[in-house]
Amino acid sequence: MRATEQFRGMNVLVLGLAKSGEAAARLLHTLGAFVTINDSKPYADNSQAQQLEALGMKVICGHHPVELLSDSFQLVVKNPGIPYSNVMVQKAEELRIPVITEIELTSRLSEADIIAITGSNGKTTTTTLIYEMLKGSSKIPTIAGNIGTVSCEVVQQVTTEHCIVLETSSFQLLGTTQFKPNISVVLNIFDAHLDYHGTKEEYIRAKSKIFENQNDQDWLIYNYDDQHLVEAVHYSKAKKIPFSTKEELKDGAYIKGGQVYFKQEQIIELNDIALPGIHNLENILAAVAASLTMGATQRQIQDVLKTFSGVAHRLQFVGEVDERRFYNDSKATNNLATKKALGAFKDPIVLLAGGLDRGNSFDELIPALDQVHALVVFGETKDKIRDVAIKAGIKTIIEAQWMEDAVSVAFENSHRGDVILLSPACASWDQYRTFEERGNRFIQAVEALSVGR
């Protein structure tokens, strides 16, 4: 049976819309499935649901009626952000109906090779690097996943001539059963999303699903410096390629004598790399290993590393105002990401931090705050971060309501030569819909500040 025929006539519930749910619903409808959509947003305000209903799909909005589910459904495709405690998900599991996320559909349908990237931090940068490095190779790269383009949309456009470079989250990976990338990349595993997964062990289990179905025809690229990860990949059947910023690995990617190496072949001098930050060396090593394994040319890799300076909202240089440099790191939604951002600079820093309170502590930030002479706090965690700043000996701590206020007071409390850094260490959902919206508000505020001076 052709891959595209496997969903014909299947009764499928799509639980939750947003980008991924809508894309999954449209794809399944195109493939001949009978699609029912259940979304919590009321129908009157739900343009997505209205458009999908017009195409002939059944739509139930505004609530999750558990009686909707019966054993007549053969599959549930859920939005990754919906927790497994949701009543609809629990009912599906009681009825032994498979519950998957849209990257599982992509894996089952793709004619193209897949490079899948995951990790607690660095996914977007590494995914973008691999995509850029593969340009001009024997495979035509396409980019998808959390980076902005839903993989369900991409998979309909690719052939065997393509390669999908796919950023994957633990939320997405947890909803997979047959997902099997040709190359999996695991960057690191730190305490993150424990409000969703419950324990670090469950979080690691979710991340490990990226290589769970791989065999000896596939490759697994992993961080040799991460002990949790070394233990997790031990049982993988894939061909393993380690990378390390600390040790020389003859069968992997590593740093030696100011150079990047892959399998003992010199790739590029560190001084020629445009991307700032020591933490980005891990992302670079992983990208080099993945792209060379997939057939990238060394020349293209060198060209990318000499010119690529970062992705939006990840240590993004916004501009300079009166000799203060502004950086947007809104994608830093946990402690580790903010620690790495702080470590990327040698100049004094004014830090903007705060956001959604997930119940975690910020004490681990204290050693990284030694260059921070002023701190602007906002959001639900403002008091927690203020307490940590006091422990760290920071004298100037200011509270702001919105990003525009935060940028203004940060500038007022800065000096010439300072870095003014938005690196919140928290998700944005207490005040902004996405980290992108938060970062864009920061950029707009900096631009307005520049115009006003």
Side-chain angles (χ1 to χ4, degrees):
M1 181 176 67
R2 292 176 59 201
T4 54
E5 294 295 314
Q6 62 185 294
F7 298 104
R8 184 171 299 279
M10 186 179 285
N11 199 10
V12 182
L13 175 68
V14 173
L15 184 61
L17 284 174
K19 280 185 179 181
S20 66
E22 180 179 358
R26 289 181 180 274
L27 173 60
L28 288 163
H29 180 71
T30 300
L31 296 176
F34 299 109
V35 179
T36 300
I37 295 159
N38 181 213
D39 191 62
S40 60
K41 188 175 182 179
Y43 182 83
D45 303 321
N46 199 328
S47 60
Q48 284 179 300
Q50 293 170 22
Q51 291 168 17
L52 296 174
E53 185 179 55
L55 294 175
M57 292 175 244
K58 183 178 179 180
V59 170
I60 295 129
C61 291
H63 66 300
H64 294 307
V66 71
E67 63 273 12
L68 171 66
L69 267 174
S70 69
D71 55 13
S72 65
F73 283 97
Q74 295 152 283
L75 188 67
V76 173
V77 181
K78 80 171 189 70
N79 183 287
I82 294 175
Y84 283 79
S85 58
N86 178 278
V87 292
M88 299 294 282
V89 177
Q90 290 187 332
K91 180 65 174 179
E93 291 180 336
E94 285 176 20
L95 295 171
R96 298 188 178 181
I97 303 169
V99 179
I100 66 170
T101 52
E102 55 93 15
I103 64 168
E104 174 73 12
L105 296 178
T106 299
S107 180
R108 295 186 191 184
L109 292 167
S110 181
E111 295 182 11
D113 289 340
I114 295 175
I115 301 176
I117 300 95
T118 199
S120 301
N121 287 295
K123 295 185 294 294
T124 300
T125 297
T126 305
T127 300
T128 307
L129 281 169
I130 295 171
Y131 168 71
E132 295 293 338
M133 289 173 177
L134 284 172
K135 290 180 177 178
S137 68
S138 59
K139 294 284 187 178
I140 303 168
T142 60
I143 196 164
N146 276 358
I147 202 160
T149 306
V150 180
S151 63
C152 268
E153 295 176 353
V154 170
V155 77
Q156 300 173 70
Q157 313 298 326
V158 297
T159 68
T160 54
E161 296 180 351
H162 292 82
C163 171
I164 300 175
V165 186
L166 179 63
E167 179 183 338
T168 62
S169 70
S170 59
F171 297 179
Q172 292 171 315
L173 289 166
L174 196 55
T176 61
T177 56
Q178 302 173 30
F179 184 71
K180 183 179 176 293
N182 303 84
I183 298 175
S184 64
V185 180
V186 192
L187 298 168
N188 42 57
I189 296 180
F190 297 96
D191 290 344
H193 303 305
L194 298 190
D195 55 332
Y196 185 98
H197 294 288
T199 65
K200 186 167 185 175
E201 290 71 25
E202 285 299 304
Y203 177 57
I204 292 172
R205 185 177 72 85
K207 288 292 190 187
S208 298
K209 296 197 79 172
I210 197 171
F211 54 79
E212 186 175 83
N213 297 313
Q214 288 188 297
N215 58 35
D216 60 7
Q217 300 301 305
D218 306 312
W219 289 267
L220 165 56
I221 295 166
Y222 69 98
N223 188 341
Y224 188 79
D225 300 332
D226 187 320
Q227 188 56 41
H228 291 294
L229 192 47
V230 171
E231 293 172 5
V233 305
H234 180 70
Y235 297 101
S236 171
K237 297 176 182 176
K239 290 175 279 192
K240 299 181 183 69
I241 302 175
F243 64 89
S244 172
T245 61
K246 300 175 181 177
E247 297 191 36
E248 182 178 340
L249 304 170
K250 293 183 178 180
D251 294 323
Y254 56 95
I255 309 289
K256 179 183 177 183
Q259 310 271 354
V260 171
Y261 282 82
F262 181 65
K263 294 186 176 180
Q264 304 182 68
E265 181 178 0
Q266 180 185 325
I267 304 301
I268 192 171
E269 292 186 14
L270 294 181
N271 289 337
D272 289 337
I273 295 173
L275 189 61
I278 295 172
H279 66 286
N280 274 317
L281 290 179
E282 291 183 350
N283 304 329
I284 289 166
L285 292 173
V288 166
S291 57
L292 284 173
T293 300
M294 187 53 75
T297 66
Q298 186 168 324
R299 176 62 181 274
Q300 177 66 9
I301 289 171
Q302 291 170 341
D303 288 346
V304 170
L305 291 177
K306 288 177 180 178
T307 56
F308 182 82
S309 58
V311 297
H313 311 293
R314 174 61 85 196
L315 272 186
Q316 174 189 9
F317 177 62
V318 176
E320 186 171 315
V321 181
D322 282 358
E323 299 180 36
R324 284 88 160 166
R325 288 174 292 139
F326 288 81
Y327 286 85
N328 166 29
D329 195 41
S330 184
K331 202 172 189 296
T333 57
N334 57 45
N335 288 338
L336 178 69
T338 295
K339 285 171 66 177
K340 289 189 172 184
L342 291 166
F345 301 102
K346 296 180 180 179
D347 297 313
I349 297 171
V350 178
L351 176 65
L352 287 67
L356 183 73
D357 190 349
R358 284 174 157 160
N360 58 292
S361 166
F362 295 93
D363 284 352
E364 65 181 284
L365 286 177
I366 293 174
L369 295 172
D370 56 349
Q371 290 172 244
V372 176
H373 70 82
L375 178 68
V376 182
V377 295
F378 48 83
E380 291 178 355
T381 58
K382 60 181 181 293
D383 293 331
K384 281 186 174 182
I385 296 176
R386 181 200 308 275
D387 291 344
V388 164
I390 292 170
K391 292 178 186 176
I394 298 173
K395 302 299 184 185
T396 305
I397 306 169
I398 313 105
E399 180 181 330
Q401 180 64 32
W402 297 103
M403 193 54 61
E404 294 76 8
D405 310 319
V407 168
S408 178
V409 297
F411 182 83
E412 290 170 6
N413 288 275
S414 66
H415 310 294
R416 295 183 187 276
D418 281 359
V419 166
I420 300 178
L421 170 66
L422 169 66
S423 191
C426 303
S428 62
W429 305 323
D430 59 332
Q431 292 182 295
Y432 306 101
R433 288 174 297 175
T434 63
F435 70 82
E436 290 97 338
E437 180 184 347
R438 178 172 64 188
N440 288 334
R441 292 276 287 271
F442 175 79
I443 293 169
Q444 291 163 9
V446 174
E447 290 173 347
L449 183 68
S450 177
V451 169
R453 300 204 60 83

